[in-house]
Amino acid sequence: MAQAQDAAVKSNGPAAQNQTSTQDTTEQPKQSNAKTLTAVSVTGSLIRRVDAETANPVVTLNREAITNNGSPTLGNVLQALPAIAGNATNTQNNSNGGGGASPTLEGGDGAARVSLRGLGVNRTLVLVDGQRLANADLNMIPQNMVERVDVLANGSSTVYGSDAVGGVVNFILRKDYKGAELSVNDGISDHGDGQRHGAQFTVGASGDQGNIVAGVDYNKYNPVLAPRRSFSARQLYLYNGGPQPSGSHTIPTGRILVPAGGPLGDKTPGGCEVNSQGNAYVTLANGNGSSLGDYRCFSNANDTYNYNAYNYIQQQQERTNVFVIGNYKINDYVTFYADAFYNHTNSSGQDAPAPTGVGDGWHVLASNPNNPFGVTFSQGTLADPNAPGADSGYAFNTRLTGLGTRLHTFTTNNEEVNAGLRGNFGQSTWNWDASFDYGHTRRIQTNYNEVNVPAFQAAIDAGANIFNQADPAVTAALKKGVDAPQYTLTNTMKQGQFNASGEIWDLPAGAIQLSTGALYRKTSMSYNVTADAILDPVTNTCVVLSEACGSPGGGSDTVKELYAETLIPVVTEQPWAYSLNVDLGVRYSDYDTSGSTTNGKIAIEYRPIADLLVRGTVSQVFRAPNMDELYDGRTVAGPNLTDPCVHLTAAELAAHPTACQYVPPNWSGNPIGQVTGYYSGAAAIGSTLKPEQGKSIDFGFVYSPSWWEGVSSTLDFWHIYLSDTLTPIQAQTVVNACFANANSPFCSYINRYDNTNKLAGAVNYINTPVVNLGNLSTTGVDFTFNYAIPHFTVGGVDPGNFKAALNTTYVSTYKNDAAPGQPGSGSINYAGTYGLQFGNIPRWRGTLTVNWALGDWSAQWQSRYIHNVTNLNANLDTGASAPMASVLYHSISGGYEWAKIHTRFDVGIDNLSDKIPPLAYQNGSNYNVDTATYDVMGRYFWARATVKF
């Protein structure tokens, strides 16, 4: 809403002074003098309120809490909140699955996002002064532009529309800053790496007619390689009774499938493990690979490649931000306001040298003089004109170490502008607000050292010995065919909005307030891929290696909305009720692509006494399909798959003819654990989507005892549930559903190699598009306790002022029914677990912050707790789960205000005890740990100096 947050909620109570607080005060305004206070808009409501305490359980980070964190970017600050859980992008997530290409793959782009209640980043709405963003990347928002952050962790669809399911994060701007300040900061880890540098400049002025605030923000982070930390030096897999260092079976000396007997003879050195089709894998042992004696049997246990050695565990990042905020009073009835900011980010991720195989579209003919095996290595049947009787379709995979690492860089530009007029309807209580919001983001991803397959094939045909790819002469030939494909994502948002609010009539308890409005928004997306990287879904290839293949996509959607909210004061200052208010809201939304939906809410605010607020909200929530879910083209992914068709008899296979099509009896499984998946939006497969629907329920208490000076606490019970959830279906879900029910609609998503291929029965690809599937619900409790300790002395000595803030979240249930109505489906409670689909959902998370100030000195101690979780399906042998230990982080900071030179100095240490994250093994996305939840840098030192002019 355009008029939201045009002034900060003011309070002299301790809660408002706390670093982290609820939107509460310990001193309640008397009803008789409430009209003398200024009404402001509060996060989670359309109604302008005098009361800081409402039915909405808002937690606020003020500017002091933001700066005490020490981080130059906002992502690190918000992702540490207890209400945040699950999978969320941050700058520790480097991997794109090998530099992959998709609008939704963000490894290396420097972004940070939030997932309230663990419901996913798409179900948390990020706002700046109540306005949506074209790109909800927290790190692009200039930190020196922000006055405070309001976090509302319950559904608010009637106030904000789509996406506000898990809650809302609302950044409130510094509109009234006066003066100028320059701040510089630096930091480095205890390991001597991960350096960061930054500077901010802010200037502001105000007068009778208005004010203006402007600033510049710059920060830079150096990359850190995964081997710099012992827990991520190699990929760890859990099997054989413990963690085993391992890696990829695509190694520089090749993983080559050859005949092990039969009419073609034994092409192995003997003693190799032979599969059911009479073939075995070998790898180069010595020599140049042109004779059979140069090879040995491939060992699944020992022949692995440590791709972790090249991954970034902290992305390379460099950002420049510029912003301006202002308003101008045109006359007594109309004020112009505007805020705008621009962000430019350069960032990069890195992956190991490219793995490749004949599945990428190249081949080695049986007649090739470097080929000693007498068979053709190809994806399918391929005739060799120089060897008409030669067999074909044999697998050949190798790692092209000579070409160097795959670097995927991102250049991102974000522009956001919000401008409008607001004013009063004459001398009445009614005011109005008309605004226009424009957002535009453009992200250019460039993948370096991607192999051009036709050039690669030409080099092989010209004599480059691919069996000995590490040879400098071979490398020189292959480098002539290296490409740098580009992928350009553009998102645009245009929104117009009109709101009006005021009093409609008086009741004995006060005036009924009404806020109403209308909104029109158009969002559009385009994703363009250079010609060398456009995926051919029939062959699973493009000009470059298939892991970098992508598909163009794009489209637009418009929504028209009408909404209203009313606050009805029912009772005031009665023996049984100090006050009782009822808040009603409704919103109608009409989308071009997914139809219309109407959602309502009812909220109760009851004070039996002035010190105690009992509050409850029941709100319908919804989430419309976003641009990616609608319009993303096909993109290659590499999901892990536990294939249920492994080691089945002929009779067992006959019971699953669709799921196990072409699978031979006693089949040993897919060549590698990762299979090819085709992620896409709904349009790419000709389907449509509808909005998610659900409810958000919150019931709680706010207690600010007048008998205990400085104390305020809250207790809230919450429950959110959704049906028809929008999700990219998992490859495992597709196969399991089809295995359980041959008539499942997901069976058509599975494509296996047929009997003409040496890999008959193995998965060729699985379509994993976005679908409406499943139910999701979560239940829990939030508790906060804030205490501004009254000033005291010890033996006549002033020890300073102390305040403490406790913020905790307990997750009771997190239930998902992935395929309702399908045979074998059921609800699974993921609370207290870590898994690839939903991420880390600990039952307990909490922060305890203690602040101290004495004269020009100040300090902070913060402890952050993450409860232990169960790592699902951690054991590769048995599928058993494994424990992941709880973690308690400590951070300290201190500052000194040197008034004589108008300068403040701050220093701090994050992760004081140098805690390492608990191991997740192969579920840890290339790092053995959950980088979305735990700190991977270790003990970190930082310093900052701020000069005011």
Side-chain angles (χ1 to χ4, degrees):
M1 59 189 175
Q3 82 274 22
Q5 312 306 340
D6 53 2
V9 175
K10 301 295 185 183
S11 172
N12 296 320
Q17 299 166 9
N18 271 318
Q19 302 269 340
T20 303
S21 69
T22 58
Q23 214 176 44
D24 306 321
T25 63
T26 60
E27 297 179 6
Q28 307 306 327
K30 297 294 184 182
Q31 299 293 327
S32 59
N33 64 12
K35 293 184 179 179
T36 66
L37 302 178
T38 302
V40 297
S41 296
V42 294
T43 297
S45 176
L46 298 171
I47 301 294
R48 297 171 62 83
R49 302 289 299 272
V50 168
D51 303 307
E53 297 169 351
T54 70
N56 302 308
V58 176
V59 170
T60 296
L61 296 175
N62 60 22
R63 180 145 189 85
E64 185 181 2
I66 295 170
T67 57
N68 280 350
N69 180 274
S71 175
T73 55
L74 291 165
N76 291 337
V77 181
L78 271 296
Q79 288 191 346
L81 289 174
I84 306 296
N87 287 321
T89 302
N90 64 35
T91 56
Q92 297 176 160
N93 306 136
N94 160 81
S95 180
N96 251 355
S102 167
T104 59
L105 291 177
E106 297 184 306
D109 76 346
R113 306 185 189 277
V114 286
S115 169
L116 283 167
R117 303 299 187 207
L119 293 173
V121 297
N122 290 328
R123 299 187 185 102
T124 297
L125 182 60
V126 177
L127 308 169
V128 171
D129 264 2
Q131 295 297 313
R132 289 174 179 262
L133 302 171
N135 179 9
D137 172 16
L138 306 187
N139 285 344
M140 77 166 184
I141 301 172
Q143 189 198 78
N144 53 330
M145 184 176 80
V146 176
E147 178 65 27
R148 73 174 196 273
V149 186
D150 289 345
V151 180
L152 172 62
N154 69 358
S156 301
S157 291
T158 59
V159 177
Y160 300 110
S162 178
D163 306 334
V165 176
V168 174
V169 177
N170 193 7
F171 293 88
I172 311 304
L173 302 183
R174 299 173 75 184
K175 305 177 186 66
D176 56 357
Y177 176 77
K178 299 179 183 178
E181 66 179 30
L182 173 66
S183 179
V184 294
N185 64 82
D186 209 310
I188 190 169
S189 81
D190 192 34
H191 296 261
D193 55 20
Q195 295 91 340
R196 72 187 188 208
H197 321 278
Q200 299 175 348
F201 178 72
T202 311
V203 61
S206 64
D208 293 339
Q209 293 297 109
N211 59 55
I212 187 169
V213 181
V216 179
D217 177 30
Y218 171 83
N219 58 79
K220 181 180 181 180
Y221 289 73
N222 292 344
V224 178
L225 287 168
R228 294 283 299 176
R229 302 295 181 270
S230 60
F231 56 80
S232 58
R234 288 191 64 93
Q235 179 66 63
L236 298 176
Y237 288 80
L238 187 61
Y239 63 96
N240 286 344
Q244 309 293 329
S246 189
S248 170
H249 283 143
T250 302
I251 61 177
T253 52
R255 187 171 188 261
I256 306 166
L257 185 68
V258 298
L264 299 177
D266 189 355
K267 306 296 183 180
T268 75
C272 299
E273 182 179 350
V274 180
N275 65 19
S276 59
Q277 295 176 305
N279 301 316
Y281 286 100
V282 299
T283 190
L284 183 66
N286 50 60
N288 64 8
S290 60
S291 66
L292 294 179
D294 293 342
Y295 295 87
R296 61 173 174 80
C297 297
F298 184 92
S299 169
N300 283 324
N302 300 316
D303 287 328
T304 60
Y305 182 78
N306 184 20
Y307 52 81
N308 271 30
Y310 303 92
N311 291 330
Y312 287 158
I313 206 165
Q314 176 175 281
Q315 299 168 16
Q316 182 176 358
Q317 312 150 60
E318 186 174 18
R319 298 177 189 83
T320 303
N321 308 307
V322 180
F323 71 89
V324 61
I325 309 165
N327 62 76
Y328 180 75
K329 184 178 180 181
I330 299 173
N331 56 43
D332 289 343
Y333 300 102
V334 179
T335 298
F336 169 79
Y337 65 91
D339 60 77
F341 67 91
Y342 167 79
N343 161 267
H344 176 78
T345 299
N346 287 320
S347 58
S348 64
Q350 181 174 272
D351 291 299
T356 185
V358 293
D360 289 314
W362 55 269
H363 60 268
V364 183
L365 294 175
S367 59
N368 187 301
N370 296 309
N371 181 358
F373 298 105
V375 295
T376 292
F377 299 96
S378 58
Q379 185 174 16
T381 302
L382 180 67
D384 183 348
N386 299 315
D391 203 1
S392 62
Y394 288 85
F396 184 169
N397 294 80
T398 190
R399 174 88 53 175
L400 302 175
T401 52
L403 298 183
T405 60
R406 290 164 293 162
L407 185 69
H408 36 103
T409 66
F410 294 83
T411 300
T412 307
N413 291 294
N414 298 286
E415 303 100 28
E416 295 283 344
V417 179
N418 177 47
L421 298 170
R422 60 175 172 238
N424 300 319
F425 289 102
Q427 300 296 323
S428 72
T429 62
W430 280 76
N431 59 72
W432 57 270
D433 190 312
S435 67
F436 174 75
D437 191 15
Y438 172 79
H440 180 267
T441 182
R442 181 181 176 87
R443 188 190 75 187
I444 301 175
Q445 174 186 347
T446 305
N447 284 0
Y448 293 95
N449 291 333
E450 294 289 356
V451 176
N452 182 304
V453 175
F456 187 80
Q457 184 66 61
I460 294 173
D461 294 342
N465 184 4
I466 189 59
F467 296 92
N468 188 27
Q469 65 84 29
D471 181 89
V474 177
T475 295
L478 296 179
K479 280 190 174 181
K480 297 177 182 178
V482 169
D483 276 5
Q486 285 193 337
Y487 317 85
T488 303
L489 171 66
T490 303
N491 282 301
T492 304
M493 181 193 68
K494 300 175 182 177
Q495 177 176 290
Q497 188 173 8
F498 181 82
N499 302 289
S501 61
E503 299 175 358
I504 49 177
W505 63 76
D506 289 330
L507 294 178
I512 297 177
Q513 298 181 63
L514 175 67
S515 181
T516 185
L519 176 149
Y520 173 86
R521 181 172 63 250
K522 181 177 181 178
T523 54
S524 60
M525 182 272 283
S526 69
Y527 187 68
N528 295 313
V529 181
T530 51
D532 56 350
I534 295 178
L535 174 70
D536 181 348
V538 176
T539 63
N540 186 29
T541 63
C542 58
V543 173
V544 295
L545 297 183
S546 61
E547 53 92 11
C549 298
S551 301
S556 64
D557 194 12
T558 62
V559 59
K560 298 174 281 292
E561 294 184 302
L562 298 173
Y563 46 87
E565 182 178 353
T566 184
L567 180 68
I568 305 170
V570 180
V571 172
T572 183
E573 295 186 341
Q574 296 297 315
W576 55 274
Y578 183 78
S579 67
L580 174 63
N581 299 326
V582 176
D583 190 336
L584 304 173
V586 65
R587 192 179 196 98
Y588 170 78
S589 306
D590 184 12
Y591 285 84
D592 282 353
T593 56
S594 54
S596 61
T597 177
T598 300
N599 296 273
K601 81 164 183 178
I602 179 170
I604 304 294
E605 304 168 6
Y606 171 52
R607 287 188 183 275
I609 58 175
D611 293 352
L612 176 64
L613 170 65
V614 181
R615 61 189 180 190
T617 303
V618 178
S619 177
Q620 293 175 308
V621 294
F622 79 99
R623 185 174 78 86
N626 61 34
M627 293 293 96
D628 290 320
E629 292 162 336
L630 289 168
Y631 299 119
D632 277 359
R634 283 189 175 93
T635 299
V636 178
N640 290 307
L641 179 70
T642 301
D643 202 317
C645 302
V646 172
H647 303 308
L648 299 185
T649 65
E652 290 171 325
L653 290 169
H656 306 281
T658 309
C660 302
Q661 188 179 24
Y662 305 122
V663 173
N666 301 313
W667 179 57
S668 60
N670 294 292
I672 58 176
Q674 285 184 318
V675 299
T676 297
Y678 283 153
Y679 159 80
S680 72
I685 62 168
S687 65
T688 58
L689 299 173
K690 57 185 178 181
E692 301 174 339
Q693 299 282 353
K695 285 186 179 179
S696 173
I697 302 169
D698 185 273
F699 175 76
F701 307 88
V702 181
Y703 186 45
S704 304
S706 55
W707 55 269
W708 192 354
E709 182 183 354
V711 167
S712 178
S713 64
T714 67
L715 178 67
D716 287 280
F717 303 86
W718 47 266
H719 174 63
I720 301 171
Y721 69 86
L722 286 169
S723 59
D724 294 322
T725 52
L726 292 160
T727 179
I729 190 169
Q730 301 291 309
Q732 192 70 60
T733 301
V734 170
V735 175
N736 289 350
C738 185
F739 190 82
N741 176 16
N743 296 317
S744 168
F746 303 139
C747 288
S748 63
Y749 295 175
I750 304 171
N751 185 289
R752 294 182 184 269
Y753 290 110
D754 62 23
N755 292 325
T756 66
N757 195 289
K758 300 301 180 189
L759 296 175
V763 170
N764 182 14
Y765 64 84
I766 298 174
N767 282 318
T768 58
V770 176
V771 296
N772 283 107
L773 178 69
N775 301 322
L776 184 63
S777 68
T778 182
T779 304
V781 183
D782 292 338
F783 175 74
T784 70
F785 182 85
N786 299 297
Y787 187 24
I789 301 173
H791 187 72
F792 62 93
T793 60
V794 179
V797 177
D798 182 4
N801 296 310
F802 295 87
K803 53 187 176 181
L806 175 67
N807 185 1
T808 63
T809 292
Y810 173 74
V811 179
S812 173
T813 64
Y814 189 101
K815 295 182 178 180
N816 175 244
D817 187 346
Q822 298 291 327
S825 69
S827 181
I828 300 174
N829 186 6
Y830 290 95
T833 70
Y834 168 72
L836 294 177
Q837 182 175 6
F838 297 110
N840 198 306
I841 312 292
R843 289 194 179 273
W844 284 101
R845 288 185 67 156
T847 59
L848 173 63
T849 306
V850 178
N851 292 94
W852 167 83
L854 176 62
D856 296 327
W857 293 91
S858 63
Q860 175 178 290
W861 180 293
Q862 185 175 81
S863 297
R864 181 164 65 97
Y865 176 73
I866 303 170
H867 198 53
N868 61 279
V869 294
T870 300
N871 183 11
L872 299 175
N873 306 120
N875 193 297
L876 280 180
D877 287 335
T878 65
S881 299
M884 292 171 61
S886 59
V887 177
L888 180 62
Y889 295 110
H890 301 286
S891 300
I892 60 172
S893 63
Y896 176 71
E897 190 88 34
W898 194 348
K900 186 176 180 179
I901 59 174
H902 310 289
T903 302
R904 177 178 175 84
F905 298 96
D906 293 278
V907 295
I909 306 174
D910 298 332
N911 194 354
L912 182 65
S913 51
D914 198 26
K915 290 285 188 179
I916 64 171
L919 292 176
Y921 309 106
Q922 68 278 359
N923 292 339
S925 301
N926 297 340
Y927 307 104
N928 305 312
V929 299
D930 173 18
T931 59
T933 302
Y934 305 103
D935 171 64
V936 298
M937 295 302 294
R939 186 182 294 115
Y940 197 90
F941 306 96
W942 60 268
R944 181 179 62 236
T946 304
V947 182
K948 295 186 177 181
F949 304 97

